[in-house]
Amino acid sequence: MSTDADSATHDRRQQLQRELLRRARAGTARGATTAEPATGPSTGPSTGPSTGRDDRTPRPGSDRPAECVPLSRAQRRMWLMERLGGTGDSYHVPFATRVRGPFDVAAFATALTSLVARHAILRTRYTEHDGEPCQEVLPTPRTVPVHVVDTDEAQAPELLRRETARPFDLAAGDAVRALVLRHGPQDHTVLLTFHHIAVDGASLETVAGELADLYTTATGGTPRHTLAAAPQYADHARREHEALSGFEEELERWSELLADAEPPRLPPPAAPAPHTAVRPAAVRTVPLTPTVPDALRTLGAQRQATLFTVSLTAAFAALHRLTGDDDLVIGVAGTHRSGTAMRGLVGLCVNTLPVRVDLSGAPSFSRLLRRVGDALLEAQQHRHVPFDLVLERLGAGARGADGTALVRVTSDVLGEPTVLRLPGTSAEYVDLPSDGAKFNLSYGLDLADPARPRALVQYDAHTLDDAAAQTAVRDYAALLDAVAADPELTLDALPAAGPQDGSPDRSDPARDRHPVVEALCAHPMVADATVVQPEDGPAVAYAVLKDSAGPSGHELLGLLRRTLAPEAVPAAVTLLDALPRTAAGPADHARLPGRPSTPDAPSGARARAVTEAFAAALGHRPSSDEDFFALGGHSLKAVQLAERLRTDLGLPLTGLDVLQARTPRALTALLDERAARQSAAKAVSRPAPRSRDVRPGTVLVTGATGGVGAFVVRELATRGRPVLALARSESAHLIATDGVDVIEGDLTDLAGLRDAVAQADAVVHAACTFTRHDVDLAAMETMVDAWRRGPFVFVSSVDAYGHPTTDRVAEESAPHEPVSPYGKAKLDCEAMLLRAAGTEGRGGASSVRSPIVWGAHDRLREQLRWGALGTLYQAAEQGRPIELPRPGTGGHAWYGAAWVHAAALARAVAECLDRPVHGVANACSGHVSWHDLAHDLTQLLGTRADLRETDGVPQDLDHRWHYDSTRLARPLRPRPGEGRRTVLSEMITAMTPENRWTAPRHAGQSGRP
């Protein structure tokens, strides 16, 4: 029996342990600030002697704070693009040269370090101050590492590509990397990779010239030039920032020039683009006659135009032919560089200039050249106005009705590339194309090799089909050839490249120009098409395939639903062997098969279950095509309906699925598709029986297919930890993969939970019903009772804190009323777990309290749209006024939400398996004000909601707490691509336009992050 003295001793021991743990954590946090060494493909040493530090900039850890300089507008746009994500390596600038001859790697490292010392922009990091991005110059490193890899020529392209694609960490000052491939004693490929935020094309010329002089000095030679003090980019950024207020008149002029402009309507792709963040770049080229460039120069000289203007005019003519539009906008690159003060400046000084031209009236090429010249001159007169300010002024007018960017097509003339010319060596340019496209389509006159000029298009392979891109470049090349010979040809008389590979001839007068026909004929497997519009009922389309193995009529109908407005989509697409035609050529509609009859109502067990679920949720037995919302449905009803069907049918289904399908027919079709997919998957991926002898260290993860659990499973599998995943039977097949064993079950199956915990060596409990708290508590009690070894991590919620009296909440703070029922359930589960930890062989316990979780997962998208933030999201989506609490209301300076990236939360959970926190830890990636979140949502959704500050606080926005996350700071540290804007963009982009319909105003909200 214990005594009071024993208890006191035990309490003192626990208090001492807590204090030691606190000190250990504090020491770890201090040690974690040391930057980790960069990793690369190097197999040899990093070479380069020390050059010392630049004492004009503060050292890390010094008391003197670094000056935070505002970003230039071009930098700001680049920074935002990086935070949004989805750019891949589009904004990486590779500079590669094949160097033959004696090459001194150590001298090159010395020269590169000296270059970085001269140009502070190459050692600048990008951060935020008071919510605004800014740049801080870091000290000059002792040496810039130059990684050396011995490799043959066959492996070189892949090594260069991987190095070029490696992401940058702008927050760490990572702006330049160096890699040397050694093919032989006097044969090297030198690659410098910059981030575009620090350099532009003109900067590379400065870099190449100065590196040559600095390398000459490092090798003991006499440089060709004496380098003067370098101009600094931060000075340019300051000057631009100070001048912003003076752009009002010119912004008004830009508004006039671009009023009512629309993005070019490029031919839609035949197949839907996959939901990936990066836009893959592809290139098509056509060789030109070697005399064409000189002929175009002569044409320009005769008409007071540059070669660039002539090629831009040809791009407008080619785009006109591709789109059929008369009012077109093409972007060209401008520059902020002017005067001797910016000579030798390294930095981002480019500016996009939108050039708008009227091509109506079938003008001759000469006349069009004058129009383009005038429009280009007007744009260049305002080139110093940053393009992103123009976009801000245009607002929603900067995009088309479907959200397409106004400047989606660009044009340029590509000259001889810059190379690194080092003394005593020969230099050969190495082309390293980017994997990502900055624009949907770019025309280029390629003069890199004067003896072999080319017409070129680079395009986003998700936006433009290869066939359409090939037609575009062949048209462009044909135009350049034709106008070089006769510039007085009118646009309609200029030669076309003509169809290729059996593609339909868009200029054929016998072919129907209906939007349905245009979309069908854009498919590479469709040879011909027509559409019939009866007086009563929807249109019907007919298509002829080039090959019997082509798409089905249903698949083509899906294509039309993705690419056309809903009212333009026909009822069906019927496939024919050939279109009957009249003697004059057009399709003979009188000889076409009749319009198909209305399809029968769906039948079978799933159809009956859907009808019964609609009736139970909405109090009305619907017909096959009645709309969920027309029957009074809303988001809560959708969740209830999905839960019923998921339980009755054993198939994966979410409330978001119901909201997107909307009719019993569509929902039945979706369930039929998932049933077929589930059967096929189970047939080939049945989990192997578990053996504890073979798989020691197995971690049980509950809720393994949920928004958090899926990321935890992925993180553990990446770390090589064997995983036992608990998932519902309807979705268990989705995670059957190497390293992951699956147990079918859920929180209501207490016997199954007990068995699963008994098999595992560690537990991560990420499952939650959100609303059935008795189920959650019973499940936790069962799991804790069965737990006998290893650590246990419980994914809890910051709702357990309730409504603290202070605006900053420390970890393990006591709860403060009111605490929601959901929060109380989390507290009760935590108490059960922490009381049992360390007893009867059990390991340490960690309760990880998370706020709103964001990540690329359908469950998390559903919560963003319909959960706790649903009202805010829906208002932003619909462009309705959004009322937000004014800072200071109720005596609180800030209102907003905490959030965590699902991948960061998964790392934190995995960390707790190795190092339990023995208590409660918060897991937050950041905090965002309601105003900033509403602004992010409206921008990403392409809407224009009116944000209004009020003195009231709406109930769903009454959140003002910042949660400290010290204990798990290391795994929560954001990685590239985990910024707030990036993850929101990933979540919203994956909701296709047809899925992001406008919800009725009576739609409620469901789910909790």
mmCIF file with all atom_site columns, all heavy atoms in Angstrom, residues 754-774:
data_model
loop_
_atom_site.group_PDB
_atom_site.id
_atom_site.type_symbol
_atom_site.label_atom_id
_atom_site.label_alt_id
_atom_site.label_comp_id
_atom_site.label_asym_id
_atom_site.label_entity_id
_atom_site.label_seq_id
_atom_site.pdbx_PDB_ins_code
_atom_site.Cartn_x
_atom_site.Cartn_y
_atom_site.Cartn_z
_atom_site.occupancy
_atom_site.B_iso_or_equiv
_atom_site.pdbx_formal_charge
_atom_site.auth_seq_id
_atom_site.auth_comp_id
_atom_site.auth_asym_id
_atom_site.auth_atom_id
_atom_site.pdbx_PDB_model_num
ATOM 1   N N   . ARG A 1 754 ? -9.778  -5.115  -31.258 1.00 0.00 ? 754 ARG A N   1
ATOM 2   C CA  . ARG A 1 754 ? -8.954  -5.765  -30.232 1.00 0.00 ? 754 ARG A CA  1
ATOM 3   C C   . ARG A 1 754 ? -7.918  -6.685  -30.887 1.00 0.00 ? 754 ARG A C   1
ATOM 4   O O   . ARG A 1 754 ? -6.739  -6.679  -30.523 1.00 0.00 ? 754 ARG A O   1
ATOM 5   C CB  . ARG A 1 754 ? -9.849  -6.549  -29.279 1.00 0.00 ? 754 ARG A CB  1
ATOM 6   C CG  . ARG A 1 754 ? -9.119  -7.209  -28.110 1.00 0.00 ? 754 ARG A CG  1
ATOM 7   C CD  . ARG A 1 754 ? -10.102 -7.991  -27.243 1.00 0.00 ? 754 ARG A CD  1
ATOM 8   N NE  . ARG A 1 754 ? -11.106 -7.099  -26.674 1.00 0.00 ? 754 ARG A NE  1
ATOM 9   C CZ  . ARG A 1 754 ? -10.917 -6.369  -25.581 1.00 0.00 ? 754 ARG A CZ  1
ATOM 10  N NH1 . ARG A 1 754 ? -9.768  -6.431  -24.942 1.00 0.00 ? 754 ARG A NH1 1
ATOM 11  N NH2 . ARG A 1 754 ? -11.886 -5.600  -25.126 1.00 0.00 ? 754 ARG A NH2 1
ATOM 12  N N   . ASP A 1 755 ? -8.352  -7.453  -31.873 1.00 0.00 ? 755 ASP A N   1
ATOM 13  C CA  . ASP A 1 755 ? -7.426  -8.365  -32.551 1.00 0.00 ? 755 ASP A CA  1
ATOM 14  C C   . ASP A 1 755 ? -6.343  -7.594  -33.304 1.00 0.00 ? 755 ASP A C   1
ATOM 15  O O   . ASP A 1 755 ? -5.170  -7.999  -33.312 1.00 0.00 ? 755 ASP A O   1
ATOM 16  C CB  . ASP A 1 755 ? -8.200  -9.256  -33.525 1.00 0.00 ? 755 ASP A CB  1
ATOM 17  C CG  . ASP A 1 755 ? -9.099  -10.261 -32.804 1.00 0.00 ? 755 ASP A CG  1
ATOM 18  O OD1 . ASP A 1 755 ? -8.876  -10.482 -31.604 1.00 0.00 ? 755 ASP A OD1 1
ATOM 19  O OD2 . ASP A 1 755 ? -10.014 -10.793 -33.457 1.00 0.00 ? 755 ASP A OD2 1
ATOM 20  N N   . ALA A 1 756 ? -6.717  -6.496  -33.941 1.00 0.00 ? 756 ALA A N   1
ATOM 21  C CA  . ALA A 1 756 ? -5.744  -5.721  -34.712 1.00 0.00 ? 756 ALA A CA  1
ATOM 22  C C   . ALA A 1 756 ? -4.679  -5.132  -33.805 1.00 0.00 ? 756 ALA A C   1
ATOM 23  O O   . ALA A 1 756 ? -3.480  -5.161  -34.125 1.00 0.00 ? 756 ALA A O   1
ATOM 24  C CB  . ALA A 1 756 ? -6.461  -4.612  -35.483 1.00 0.00 ? 756 ALA A CB  1
ATOM 25  N N   . VAL A 1 757 ? -5.092  -4.583  -32.667 1.00 0.00 ? 757 VAL A N   1
ATOM 26  C CA  . VAL A 1 757 ? -4.126  -4.000  -31.735 1.00 0.00 ? 757 VAL A CA  1
ATOM 27  C C   . VAL A 1 757 ? -3.198  -5.091  -31.194 1.00 0.00 ? 757 VAL A C   1
ATOM 28  O O   . VAL A 1 757 ? -1.988  -4.890  -31.030 1.00 0.00 ? 757 VAL A O   1
ATOM 29  C CB  . VAL A 1 757 ? -4.842  -3.277  -30.583 1.00 0.00 ? 757 VAL A CB  1
ATOM 30  C CG1 . VAL A 1 757 ? -3.854  -2.822  -29.524 1.00 0.00 ? 757 VAL A CG1 1
ATOM 31  C CG2 . VAL A 1 757 ? -5.623  -2.082  -31.115 1.00 0.00 ? 757 VAL A CG2 1
ATOM 32  N N   . ALA A 1 758 ? -3.744  -6.270  -30.938 1.00 0.00 ? 758 ALA A N   1
ATOM 33  C CA  . ALA A 1 758 ? -2.939  -7.362  -30.391 1.00 0.00 ? 758 ALA A CA  1
ATOM 34  C C   . ALA A 1 758 ? -1.845  -7.803  -31.364 1.00 0.00 ? 758 ALA A C   1
ATOM 35  O O   . ALA A 1 758 ? -0.794  -8.285  -30.949 1.00 0.00 ? 758 ALA A O   1
ATOM 36  C CB  . ALA A 1 758 ? -3.840  -8.550  -30.042 1.00 0.00 ? 758 ALA A CB  1
ATOM 37  N N   . GLN A 1 759 ? -2.084  -7.638  -32.667 1.00 0.00 ? 759 GLN A N   1
ATOM 38  C CA  . GLN A 1 759 ? -1.089  -8.057  -33.660 1.00 0.00 ? 759 GLN A CA  1
ATOM 39  C C   . GLN A 1 759 ? 0.031   -7.035  -33.838 1.00 0.00 ? 759 GLN A C   1
ATOM 40  O O   . GLN A 1 759 ? 1.097   -7.372  -34.356 1.00 0.00 ? 759 GLN A O   1
ATOM 41  C CB  . GLN A 1 759 ? -1.758  -8.263  -35.029 1.00 0.00 ? 759 GLN A CB  1
ATOM 42  C CG  . GLN A 1 759 ? -2.740  -9.409  -35.085 1.00 0.00 ? 759 GLN A CG  1
ATOM 43  C CD  . GLN A 1 759 ? -3.258  -9.615  -36.497 1.00 0.00 ? 759 GLN A CD  1
ATOM 44  O OE1 . GLN A 1 759 ? -2.512  -9.966  -37.396 1.00 0.00 ? 759 GLN A OE1 1
ATOM 45  N NE2 . GLN A 1 759 ? -4.548  -9.382  -36.679 1.00 0.00 ? 759 GLN A NE2 1
ATOM 46  N N   . ALA A 1 760 ? -0.221  -5.782  -33.456 1.00 0.00 ? 760 ALA A N   1
ATOM 47  C CA  . ALA A 1 760 ? 0.703   -4.701  -33.802 1.00 0.00 ? 760 ALA A CA  1
ATOM 48  C C   . ALA A 1 760 ? 1.741   -4.471  -32.707 1.00 0.00 ? 760 ALA A C   1
ATOM 49  O O   . ALA A 1 760 ? 1.533   -4.781  -31.534 1.00 0.00 ? 760 ALA A O   1
ATOM 50  C CB  . ALA A 1 760 ? -0.078  -3.416  -34.050 1.00 0.00 ? 760 ALA A CB  1
ATOM 51  N N   . ASP A 1 761 ? 2.862   -3.892  -33.141 1.00 0.00 ? 761 ASP A N   1
ATOM 52  C CA  . ASP A 1 761 ? 3.917   -3.488  -32.214 1.00 0.00 ? 761 ASP A CA  1
ATOM 53  C C   . ASP A 1 761 ? 3.853   -2.002  -31.893 1.00 0.00 ? 761 ASP A C   1
ATOM 54  O O   . ASP A 1 761 ? 4.628   -1.516  -31.062 1.00 0.00 ? 761 ASP A O   1
ATOM 55  C CB  . ASP A 1 761 ? 5.282   -3.822  -32.815 1.00 0.00 ? 761 ASP A CB  1
ATOM 56  C CG  . ASP A 1 761 ? 5.450   -5.319  -33.036 1.00 0.00 ? 761 ASP A CG  1
ATOM 57  O OD1 . ASP A 1 761 ? 5.132   -6.091  -32.123 1.00 0.00 ? 761 ASP A OD1 1
ATOM 58  O OD2 . ASP A 1 761 ? 5.885   -5.704  -34.134 1.00 0.00 ? 761 ASP A OD2 1
ATOM 59  N N   . ALA A 1 762 ? 2.984   -1.264  -32.572 1.00 0.00 ? 762 ALA A N   1
ATOM 60  C CA  . ALA A 1 762 ? 2.760   0.159   -32.318 1.00 0.00 ? 762 ALA A CA  1
ATOM 61  C C   . ALA A 1 762 ? 1.414   0.509   -32.921 1.00 0.00 ? 762 ALA A C   1
ATOM 62  O O   . ALA A 1 762 ? 0.926   -0.179  -33.822 1.00 0.00 ? 762 ALA A O   1
ATOM 63  C CB  . ALA A 1 762 ? 3.872   1.021   -32.930 1.00 0.00 ? 762 ALA A CB  1
ATOM 64  N N   . VAL A 1 763 ? 0.811   1.589   -32.434 1.00 0.00 ? 763 VAL A N   1
ATOM 65  C CA  . VAL A 1 763 ? -0.536  1.958   -32.880 1.00 0.00 ? 763 VAL A CA  1
ATOM 66  C C   . VAL A 1 763 ? -0.580  3.439   -33.229 1.00 0.00 ? 763 VAL A C   1
ATOM 67  O O   . VAL A 1 763 ? -0.068  4.282   -32.477 1.00 0.00 ? 763 VAL A O   1
ATOM 68  C CB  . VAL A 1 763 ? -1.591  1.665   -31.782 1.00 0.00 ? 763 VAL A CB  1
ATOM 69  C CG1 . VAL A 1 763 ? -2.985  2.084   -32.255 1.00 0.00 ? 763 VAL A CG1 1
ATOM 70  C CG2 . VAL A 1 763 ? -1.581  0.193   -31.403 1.00 0.00 ? 763 VAL A CG2 1
ATOM 71  N N   . VAL A 1 764 ? -1.182  3.729   -34.375 1.00 0.00 ? 764 VAL A N   1
ATOM 72  C CA  . VAL A 1 764 ? -1.550  5.100   -34.728 1.00 0.00 ? 764 VAL A CA  1
ATOM 73  C C   . VAL A 1 764 ? -3.057  5.107   -34.922 1.00 0.00 ? 764 VAL A C   1
ATOM 74  O O   . VAL A 1 764 ? -3.570  4.464   -35.853 1.00 0.00 ? 764 VAL A O   1
ATOM 75  C CB  . VAL A 1 764 ? -0.846  5.584   -36.014 1.00 0.00 ? 764 VAL A CB  1
ATOM 76  C CG1 . VAL A 1 764 ? -1.397  6.945   -36.427 1.00 0.00 ? 764 VAL A CG1 1
ATOM 77  C CG2 . VAL A 1 764 ? 0.653   5.665   -35.820 1.00 0.00 ? 764 VAL A CG2 1
ATOM 78  N N   . HIS A 1 765 ? -3.751  5.822   -34.063 1.00 0.00 ? 765 HIS A N   1
ATOM 79  C CA  . HIS A 1 765 ? -5.225  5.859   -34.118 1.00 0.00 ? 765 HIS A CA  1
ATOM 80  C C   . HIS A 1 765 ? -5.650  7.169   -34.774 1.00 0.00 ? 765 HIS A C   1
ATOM 81  O O   . HIS A 1 765 ? -5.672  8.221   -34.139 1.00 0.00 ? 765 HIS A O   1
ATOM 82  C CB  . HIS A 1 765 ? -5.780  5.733   -32.709 1.00 0.00 ? 765 HIS A CB  1
ATOM 83  C CG  . HIS A 1 765 ? -7.273  5.650   -32.647 1.00 0.00 ? 765 HIS A CG  1
ATOM 84  N ND1 . HIS A 1 765 ? -8.047  5.168   -33.679 1.00 0.00 ? 765 HIS A ND1 1
ATOM 85  C CD2 . HIS A 1 765 ? -8.155  6.006   -31.661 1.00 0.00 ? 765 HIS A CD2 1
ATOM 86  C CE1 . HIS A 1 765 ? -9.319  5.231   -33.349 1.00 0.00 ? 765 HIS A CE1 1
ATOM 87  N NE2 . HIS A 1 765 ? -9.412  5.730   -32.130 1.00 0.00 ? 765 HIS A NE2 1
ATOM 88  N N   . ALA A 1 766 ? -5.975  7.061   -36.072 1.00 0.00 ? 766 ALA A N   1
ATOM 89  C CA  . ALA A 1 766 ? -6.342  8.261   -36.833 1.00 0.00 ? 766 ALA A CA  1
ATOM 90  C C   . ALA A 1 766 ? -7.805  8.263   -37.249 1.00 0.00 ? 766 ALA A C   1
ATOM 91  O O   . ALA A 1 766 ? -8.262  9.210   -37.896 1.00 0.00 ? 766 ALA A O   1
ATOM 92  C CB  . ALA A 1 766 ? -5.459  8.382   -38.080 1.00 0.00 ? 766 ALA A CB  1
ATOM 93  N N   . ALA A 1 767 ? -8.542  7.205   -36.924 1.00 0.00 ? 767 ALA A N   1
ATOM 94  C CA  . ALA A 1 767 ? -9.945  7.115   -37.332 1.00 0.00 ? 767 ALA A CA  1
ATOM 95  C C   . ALA A 1 767 ? -10.826 7.893   -36.362 1.00 0.00 ? 767 ALA A C   1
ATOM 96  O O   . ALA A 1 767 ? -10.522 8.026   -35.171 1.00 0.00 ? 767 ALA A O   1
ATOM 97  C CB  . ALA A 1 767 ? -10.385 5.659   -37.375 1.00 0.00 ? 767 ALA A CB  1
ATOM 98  N N   . CYS A 1 768 ? -11.949 8.404   -36.886 1.00 0.00 ? 768 CYS A N   1
ATOM 99  C CA  . CYS A 1 768 ? -12.881 9.163   -36.053 1.00 0.00 ? 768 CYS A CA  1
ATOM 100 C C   . CYS A 1 768 ? -14.223 9.225   -36.766 1.00 0.00 ? 768 CYS A C   1
ATOM 101 O O   . CYS A 1 768 ? -14.275 9.388   -37.991 1.00 0.00 ? 768 CYS A O   1
ATOM 102 C CB  . CYS A 1 768 ? -12.349 10.569  -35.807 1.00 0.00 ? 768 CYS A CB  1
ATOM 103 S SG  . CYS A 1 768 ? -13.422 11.597  -34.796 1.00 0.00 ? 768 CYS A SG  1
ATOM 104 N N   . THR A 1 769 ? -15.321 9.094   -36.024 1.00 0.00 ? 769 THR A N   1
ATOM 105 C CA  . THR A 1 769 ? -16.639 9.225   -36.648 1.00 0.00 ? 769 THR A CA  1
ATOM 106 C C   . THR A 1 769 ? -17.067 10.682  -36.756 1.00 0.00 ? 769 THR A C   1
ATOM 107 O O   . THR A 1 769 ? -17.981 10.999  -37.490 1.00 0.00 ? 769 THR A O   1
ATOM 108 C CB  . THR A 1 769 ? -17.699 8.478   -35.833 1.00 0.00 ? 769 THR A CB  1
ATOM 109 O OG1 . THR A 1 769 ? -17.866 9.147   -34.562 1.00 0.00 ? 769 THR A OG1 1
ATOM 110 C CG2 . THR A 1 769 ? -17.300 7.032   -35.593 1.00 0.00 ? 769 THR A CG2 1
ATOM 111 N N   . PHE A 1 770 ? -16.460 11.569  -35.984 1.00 0.00 ? 770 PHE A N   1
ATOM 112 C CA  . PHE A 1 770 ? -16.751 13.006  -35.920 1.00 0.00 ? 770 PHE A CA  1
ATOM 113 C C   . PHE A 1 770 ? -18.058 13.325  -35.182 1.00 0.00 ? 770 PHE A C   1
ATOM 114 O O   . PHE A 1 770 ? -18.140 14.315  -34.477 1.00 0.00 ? 770 PHE A O   1
ATOM 115 C CB  . PHE A 1 770 ? -16.804 13.641  -37.318 1.00 0.00 ? 770 PHE A CB  1
ATOM 116 C CG  . PHE A 1 770 ? -15.494 13.656  -38.022 1.00 0.00 ? 770 PHE A CG  1
ATOM 117 C CD1 . PHE A 1 770 ? -15.262 12.828  -39.097 1.00 0.00 ? 770 PHE A CD1 1
ATOM 118 C CD2 . PHE A 1 770 ? -14.475 14.479  -37.604 1.00 0.00 ? 770 PHE A CD2 1
ATOM 119 C CE1 . PHE A 1 770 ? -14.046 12.827  -39.745 1.00 0.00 ? 770 PHE A CE1 1
ATOM 120 C CE2 . PHE A 1 770 ? -13.262 14.497  -38.247 1.00 0.00 ? 770 PHE A CE2 1
ATOM 121 C CZ  . PHE A 1 770 ? -13.045 13.657  -39.317 1.00 0.00 ? 770 PHE A CZ  1
ATOM 122 N N   . THR A 1 771 ? -19.074 12.493  -35.358 1.00 0.00 ? 771 THR A N   1
ATOM 123 C CA  . THR A 1 771 ? -20.378 12.828  -34.768 1.00 0.00 ? 771 THR A CA  1
ATOM 124 C C   . THR A 1 771 ? -20.883 11.767  -33.794 1.00 0.00 ? 771 THR A C   1
ATOM 125 O O   . THR A 1 771 ? -21.698 12.075  -32.931 1.00 0.00 ? 771 THR A O   1
ATOM 126 C CB  . THR A 1 771 ? -21.423 13.015  -35.884 1.00 0.00 ? 771 THR A CB  1
ATOM 127 O OG1 . THR A 1 771 ? -21.461 11.834  -36.701 1.00 0.00 ? 771 THR A OG1 1
ATOM 128 C CG2 . THR A 1 771 ? -21.081 14.215  -36.765 1.00 0.00 ? 771 THR A CG2 1
ATOM 129 N N   . ARG A 1 772 ? -20.418 10.521  -33.896 1.00 0.00 ? 772 ARG A N   1
ATOM 130 C CA  . ARG A 1 772 ? -20.904 9.437   -33.015 1.00 0.00 ? 772 ARG A CA  1
ATOM 131 C C   . ARG A 1 772 ? -19.875 9.239   -31.912 1.00 0.00 ? 772 ARG A C   1
ATOM 132 O O   . ARG A 1 772 ? -19.046 8.332   -31.938 1.00 0.00 ? 772 ARG A O   1
ATOM 133 C CB  . ARG A 1 772 ? -21.139 8.176   -33.830 1.00 0.00 ? 772 ARG A CB  1
ATOM 134 C CG  . ARG A 1 772 ? -22.157 8.364   -34.924 1.00 0.00 ? 772 ARG A CG  1
ATOM 135 C CD  . ARG A 1 772 ? -22.207 7.182   -35.873 1.00 0.00 ? 772 ARG A CD  1
ATOM 136 N NE  . ARG A 1 772 ? -22.643 5.961   -35.197 1.00 0.00 ? 772 ARG A NE  1
ATOM 137 C CZ  . ARG A 1 772 ? -22.650 4.760   -35.782 1.00 0.00 ? 772 ARG A CZ  1
ATOM 138 N NH1 . ARG A 1 772 ? -22.233 4.632   -37.025 1.00 0.00 ? 772 ARG A NH1 1
ATOM 139 N NH2 . ARG A 1 772 ? -23.060 3.702   -35.113 1.00 0.00 ? 772 ARG A NH2 1
ATOM 140 N N   . HIS A 1 773 ? -19.966 10.094  -30.899 1.00 0.00 ? 773 HIS A N   1
ATOM 141 C CA  . HIS A 1 773 ? -18.928 10.127  -29.873 1.00 0.00 ? 773 HIS A CA  1
ATOM 142 C C   . HIS A 1 773 ? -18.929 8.860   -29.008 1.00 0.00 ? 773 HIS A C   1
ATOM 143 O O   . HIS A 1 773 ? -17.875 8.463   -28.501 1.00 0.00 ? 773 HIS A O   1
ATOM 144 C CB  . HIS A 1 773 ? -19.106 11.375  -29.007 1.00 0.00 ? 773 HIS A CB  1
ATOM 145 C CG  . HIS A 1 773 ? -19.217 12.636  -29.803 1.00 0.00 ? 773 HIS A CG  1
ATOM 146 N ND1 . HIS A 1 773 ? -18.316 12.958  -30.800 1.00 0.00 ? 773 HIS A ND1 1
ATOM 147 C CD2 . HIS A 1 773 ? -20.137 13.633  -29.783 1.00 0.00 ? 773 HIS A CD2 1
ATOM 148 C CE1 . HIS A 1 773 ? -18.675 14.110  -31.344 1.00 0.00 ? 773 HIS A CE1 1
ATOM 149 N NE2 . HIS A 1 773 ? -19.768 14.533  -30.741 1.00 0.00 ? 773 HIS A NE2 1
ATOM 150 N N   . ASP A 1 774 ? -20.082 8.236   -28.859 1.00 0.00 ? 774 ASP A N   1
ATOM 151 C CA  . ASP A 1 774 ? -20.110 6.993   -28.086 1.00 0.00 ? 774 ASP A CA  1
ATOM 152 C C   . ASP A 1 774 ? -19.302 5.908   -28.791 1.00 0.00 ? 774 ASP A C   1
ATOM 153 O O   . ASP A 1 774 ? -18.619 5.096   -28.130 1.00 0.00 ? 774 ASP A O   1
ATOM 154 C CB  . ASP A 1 774 ? -21.565 6.541   -27.879 1.00 0.00 ? 774 ASP A CB  1
ATOM 155 C CG  . ASP A 1 774 ? -22.313 6.365   -29.197 1.00 0.00 ? 774 ASP A CG  1
ATOM 156 O OD1 . ASP A 1 774 ? -21.972 7.075   -30.178 1.00 0.00 ? 774 ASP A OD1 1
ATOM 157 O OD2 . ASP A 1 774 ? -23.231 5.542   -29.266 1.00 0.00 ? 774 ASP A OD2 1
#
